[in-house]
Short mmCIF file of all heavy atoms in Angstrom, two decimals:
data_model
loop_
_atom_site.label_atom_id
_atom_site.label_comp_id
_atom_site.label_asym_id
_atom_site.label_seq_id
_atom_site.Cartn_x
_atom_site.Cartn_y
_atom_site.Cartn_z
N VAL F 551 -5.25 38.22 -37.35
CA VAL F 551 -5.72 38.65 -38.65
C VAL F 551 -6.84 39.67 -38.55
O VAL F 551 -6.98 40.56 -39.36
CB VAL F 551 -6.11 37.40 -39.52
CG1 VAL F 551 -7.40 36.80 -39.00
CG2 VAL F 551 -6.23 37.80 -41.00
N ILE F 552 -7.63 39.53 -37.47
CA ILE F 552 -8.72 40.50 -37.28
C ILE F 552 -8.19 41.89 -36.97
O ILE F 552 -8.68 42.91 -37.43
CB ILE F 552 -9.69 39.98 -36.19
CG1 ILE F 552 -10.36 38.72 -36.73
CG2 ILE F 552 -10.72 41.02 -35.81
CD1 ILE F 552 -11.33 38.07 -35.77
N PHE F 553 -7.10 41.90 -36.13
CA PHE F 553 -6.48 43.18 -35.85
C PHE F 553 -5.91 43.76 -37.18
O PHE F 553 -5.95 44.97 -37.38
CB PHE F 553 -5.35 43.03 -34.85
CG PHE F 553 -5.86 42.87 -33.45
CD1 PHE F 553 -5.95 41.62 -32.88
CD2 PHE F 553 -6.22 43.97 -32.70
CE1 PHE F 553 -6.43 41.49 -31.56
CE2 PHE F 553 -6.68 43.86 -31.41
CZ PHE F 553 -6.81 42.59 -30.85
N GLY F 554 -5.42 42.88 -38.03
CA GLY F 554 -4.88 43.33 -39.31
C GLY F 554 -5.96 43.98 -40.16
O GLY F 554 -5.76 45.07 -40.71
N VAL F 555 -7.10 43.34 -40.24
CA VAL F 555 -8.20 43.88 -41.00
C VAL F 555 -8.63 45.25 -40.46
O VAL F 555 -8.82 46.24 -41.17
CB VAL F 555 -9.41 42.93 -41.02
CG1 VAL F 555 -10.61 43.59 -41.63
CG2 VAL F 555 -9.04 41.65 -41.74
N TRP F 556 -8.71 45.27 -39.10
CA TRP F 556 -9.09 46.52 -38.45
C TRP F 556 -8.06 47.62 -38.79
O TRP F 556 -8.43 48.78 -39.09
CB TRP F 556 -9.10 46.28 -36.90
CG TRP F 556 -9.21 47.50 -36.12
CD1 TRP F 556 -10.33 48.18 -35.81
CD2 TRP F 556 -8.14 48.20 -35.50
NE1 TRP F 556 -10.03 49.28 -35.02
CE2 TRP F 556 -8.71 49.31 -34.80
CE3 TRP F 556 -6.74 48.01 -35.44
CZ2 TRP F 556 -7.90 50.23 -34.11
CZ3 TRP F 556 -5.96 48.89 -34.71
CH2 TRP F 556 -6.55 49.98 -34.05
N GLY F 557 -6.79 47.27 -38.82
CA GLY F 557 -5.76 48.23 -39.18
C GLY F 557 -5.92 48.72 -40.60
O GLY F 557 -5.80 49.90 -40.90
N LEU F 558 -6.21 47.80 -41.49
CA LEU F 558 -6.44 48.15 -42.89
C LEU F 558 -7.56 49.16 -43.06
O LEU F 558 -7.47 50.11 -43.82
CB LEU F 558 -6.77 46.91 -43.74
CG LEU F 558 -5.61 46.07 -44.19
CD1 LEU F 558 -6.15 44.86 -44.98
CD2 LEU F 558 -4.69 46.88 -45.09
N ILE F 559 -8.64 48.92 -42.31
CA ILE F 559 -9.83 49.74 -42.46
C ILE F 559 -9.65 51.08 -41.79
O ILE F 559 -10.05 52.15 -42.32
CB ILE F 559 -11.07 49.04 -41.90
CG1 ILE F 559 -11.36 47.76 -42.68
CG2 ILE F 559 -12.28 49.94 -41.91
CD1 ILE F 559 -12.37 46.86 -42.05
N LEU F 560 -9.02 51.10 -40.58
CA LEU F 560 -9.02 52.32 -39.80
C LEU F 560 -7.67 53.05 -39.78
O LEU F 560 -7.65 54.28 -39.79
CB LEU F 560 -9.37 51.97 -38.35
CG LEU F 560 -10.73 52.59 -37.96
CD1 LEU F 560 -11.81 51.54 -38.03
CD2 LEU F 560 -10.64 53.20 -36.61
N ILE F 561 -6.59 52.32 -39.73
CA ILE F 561 -5.31 53.00 -39.53
C ILE F 561 -4.62 53.31 -40.85
O ILE F 561 -4.11 54.42 -41.04
CB ILE F 561 -4.37 52.04 -38.67
CG1 ILE F 561 -5.05 51.66 -37.36
CG2 ILE F 561 -3.06 52.78 -38.39
CD1 ILE F 561 -5.41 52.84 -36.49
N VAL F 562 -4.64 52.38 -41.79
CA VAL F 562 -3.94 52.61 -43.05
C VAL F 562 -4.45 53.87 -43.78
O VAL F 562 -3.68 54.64 -44.31
CB VAL F 562 -4.00 51.34 -43.93
CG1 VAL F 562 -3.50 51.64 -45.34
CG2 VAL F 562 -3.13 50.23 -43.33
N PRO F 563 -5.81 54.10 -43.80
CA PRO F 563 -6.29 55.33 -44.45
C PRO F 563 -5.68 56.59 -43.85
O PRO F 563 -5.56 57.59 -44.53
CB PRO F 563 -7.80 55.28 -44.21
CG PRO F 563 -8.11 53.86 -44.00
CD PRO F 563 -6.91 53.24 -43.35
N ILE F 564 -5.31 56.56 -42.59
CA ILE F 564 -4.74 57.74 -41.96
C ILE F 564 -3.22 57.81 -42.14
O ILE F 564 -2.66 58.82 -42.58
CB ILE F 564 -5.06 57.76 -40.44
CG1 ILE F 564 -6.58 57.60 -40.23
CG2 ILE F 564 -4.56 59.07 -39.81
CD1 ILE F 564 -7.00 57.43 -38.79
N PHE F 565 -2.54 56.73 -41.80
CA PHE F 565 -1.08 56.79 -41.81
C PHE F 565 -0.43 56.01 -42.97
O PHE F 565 0.78 55.87 -43.02
CB PHE F 565 -0.55 56.19 -40.46
CG PHE F 565 -1.01 57.00 -39.28
CD1 PHE F 565 -1.88 56.42 -38.33
CD2 PHE F 565 -0.56 58.30 -39.07
CE1 PHE F 565 -2.30 57.13 -37.23
CE2 PHE F 565 -1.00 59.00 -37.97
CZ PHE F 565 -1.88 58.45 -37.07
N GLY F 566 -1.23 55.49 -43.87
CA GLY F 566 -0.68 54.77 -45.01
C GLY F 566 -0.09 53.45 -44.60
O GLY F 566 -0.15 53.05 -43.42
N TYR F 567 0.46 52.73 -45.61
CA TYR F 567 1.19 51.48 -45.25
C TYR F 567 2.54 51.89 -44.70
O TYR F 567 3.43 52.27 -45.48
CB TYR F 567 1.34 50.60 -46.49
CG TYR F 567 0.05 50.01 -46.98
CD1 TYR F 567 -0.69 50.62 -48.00
CD2 TYR F 567 -0.48 48.85 -46.41
CE1 TYR F 567 -1.88 50.07 -48.44
CE2 TYR F 567 -1.65 48.31 -46.82
CZ TYR F 567 -2.35 48.91 -47.82
OH TYR F 567 -3.55 48.37 -48.24
N SER F 568 2.66 51.84 -43.40
CA SER F 568 3.89 52.38 -42.80
C SER F 568 4.25 51.67 -41.51
O SER F 568 3.46 50.94 -40.94
CB SER F 568 3.74 53.87 -42.54
OG SER F 568 2.70 54.04 -41.59
N ILE F 569 5.49 51.96 -41.05
CA ILE F 569 5.93 51.51 -39.76
C ILE F 569 4.97 51.93 -38.66
O ILE F 569 4.61 51.14 -37.77
CB ILE F 569 7.33 52.06 -39.45
CG1 ILE F 569 8.39 51.60 -40.47
CG2 ILE F 569 7.74 51.80 -38.03
CD1 ILE F 569 8.84 50.21 -40.25
N LEU F 570 4.50 53.20 -38.76
CA LEU F 570 3.60 53.69 -37.74
C LEU F 570 2.32 52.87 -37.67
O LEU F 570 1.87 52.48 -36.60
CB LEU F 570 3.27 55.17 -38.00
CG LEU F 570 2.42 55.87 -36.95
CD1 LEU F 570 3.09 55.82 -35.58
CD2 LEU F 570 2.13 57.32 -37.33
N SER F 571 1.75 52.58 -38.86
CA SER F 571 0.52 51.78 -38.87
C SER F 571 0.80 50.42 -38.22
O SER F 571 0.03 49.92 -37.41
CB SER F 571 0.03 51.57 -40.29
OG SER F 571 -0.32 52.77 -40.90
N GLY F 572 1.92 49.79 -38.58
CA GLY F 572 2.26 48.52 -37.99
C GLY F 572 2.41 48.61 -36.52
O GLY F 572 1.91 47.77 -35.77
N GLY F 573 3.11 49.68 -36.06
CA GLY F 573 3.30 49.88 -34.64
C GLY F 573 2.00 50.07 -33.90
O GLY F 573 1.79 49.49 -32.77
N ILE F 574 1.07 50.82 -34.49
CA ILE F 574 -0.21 51.06 -33.82
C ILE F 574 -0.99 49.75 -33.70
O ILE F 574 -1.50 49.39 -32.62
CB ILE F 574 -1.05 52.10 -34.58
CG1 ILE F 574 -0.37 53.47 -34.49
CG2 ILE F 574 -2.48 52.15 -34.05
CD1 ILE F 574 -1.02 54.54 -35.34
N VAL F 575 -1.08 49.02 -34.80
CA VAL F 575 -1.83 47.76 -34.78
C VAL F 575 -1.22 46.81 -33.75
O VAL F 575 -1.91 46.16 -32.95
CB VAL F 575 -1.87 47.13 -36.17
CG1 VAL F 575 -2.41 45.69 -36.10
CG2 VAL F 575 -2.69 47.96 -37.12
N LEU F 576 0.13 46.75 -33.75
CA LEU F 576 0.80 45.88 -32.82
C LEU F 576 0.56 46.33 -31.39
O LEU F 576 0.32 45.48 -30.50
CB LEU F 576 2.32 45.96 -33.15
CG LEU F 576 3.21 44.78 -32.84
CD1 LEU F 576 2.54 43.50 -33.25
CD2 LEU F 576 4.52 44.96 -33.57
N ALA F 577 0.59 47.63 -31.16
CA ALA F 577 0.35 48.15 -29.80
C ALA F 577 -1.05 47.69 -29.33
O ALA F 577 -1.20 47.18 -28.24
CB ALA F 577 0.47 49.65 -29.78
N VAL F 578 -2.03 47.87 -30.18
CA VAL F 578 -3.41 47.51 -29.81
C VAL F 578 -3.44 46.02 -29.49
O VAL F 578 -4.19 45.59 -28.59
CB VAL F 578 -4.40 47.86 -30.92
CG1 VAL F 578 -5.80 47.29 -30.61
CG2 VAL F 578 -4.45 49.35 -31.11
N MET F 579 -2.66 45.23 -30.18
CA MET F 579 -2.69 43.77 -29.94
C MET F 579 -2.05 43.40 -28.60
O MET F 579 -2.50 42.49 -27.93
CB MET F 579 -1.91 43.07 -31.05
CG MET F 579 -2.71 42.94 -32.31
SD MET F 579 -1.83 41.87 -33.42
CE MET F 579 -1.84 40.35 -32.47
N ILE F 580 -0.95 44.06 -28.27
CA ILE F 580 -0.24 43.64 -27.06
C ILE F 580 -0.80 44.28 -25.81
O ILE F 580 -0.62 43.75 -24.70
CB ILE F 580 1.27 43.83 -27.15
CG1 ILE F 580 1.63 45.29 -27.31
CG2 ILE F 580 1.89 43.00 -28.23
CD1 ILE F 580 3.16 45.53 -27.29
N VAL F 581 -1.48 45.41 -25.95
CA VAL F 581 -1.98 46.13 -24.78
C VAL F 581 -2.80 45.22 -23.83
O VAL F 581 -2.51 45.18 -22.64
CB VAL F 581 -2.78 47.37 -25.17
CG1 VAL F 581 -3.73 47.77 -24.07
CG2 VAL F 581 -1.80 48.50 -25.47
N PRO F 582 -3.75 44.42 -24.33
CA PRO F 582 -4.56 43.63 -23.38
C PRO F 582 -3.70 42.63 -22.56
O PRO F 582 -3.92 42.53 -21.39
CB PRO F 582 -5.51 42.86 -24.30
CG PRO F 582 -5.47 43.51 -25.59
CD PRO F 582 -4.20 44.26 -25.69
N VAL F 583 -2.78 42.01 -23.22
CA VAL F 583 -1.95 41.01 -22.57
C VAL F 583 -1.13 41.69 -21.47
O VAL F 583 -1.03 41.24 -20.31
CB VAL F 583 -0.98 40.35 -23.56
CG1 VAL F 583 -0.22 39.20 -22.85
CG2 VAL F 583 -1.70 39.82 -24.76
N VAL F 584 -0.53 42.81 -21.85
CA VAL F 584 0.38 43.51 -20.90
C VAL F 584 -0.42 44.07 -19.73
O VAL F 584 -0.03 43.96 -18.57
CB VAL F 584 1.17 44.61 -21.63
CG1 VAL F 584 2.06 45.34 -20.62
CG2 VAL F 584 2.01 43.99 -22.73
#
Side-chain angles (χ1 to χ4, degrees):
Chain F
V551 70
I552 294 180
F553 284 98
V555 171
W556 169 82
L558 277 180
I559 296 169
L560 247 101
I561 306 298
V562 170
I564 307 173
F565 299 113
Y567 290 96
S568 63
I569 296 284
L570 184 59
S571 298
I574 292 173
V575 171
L576 208 43
V578 173
M579 281 189 63
I580 61 175
V581 158
V583 186
V584 178

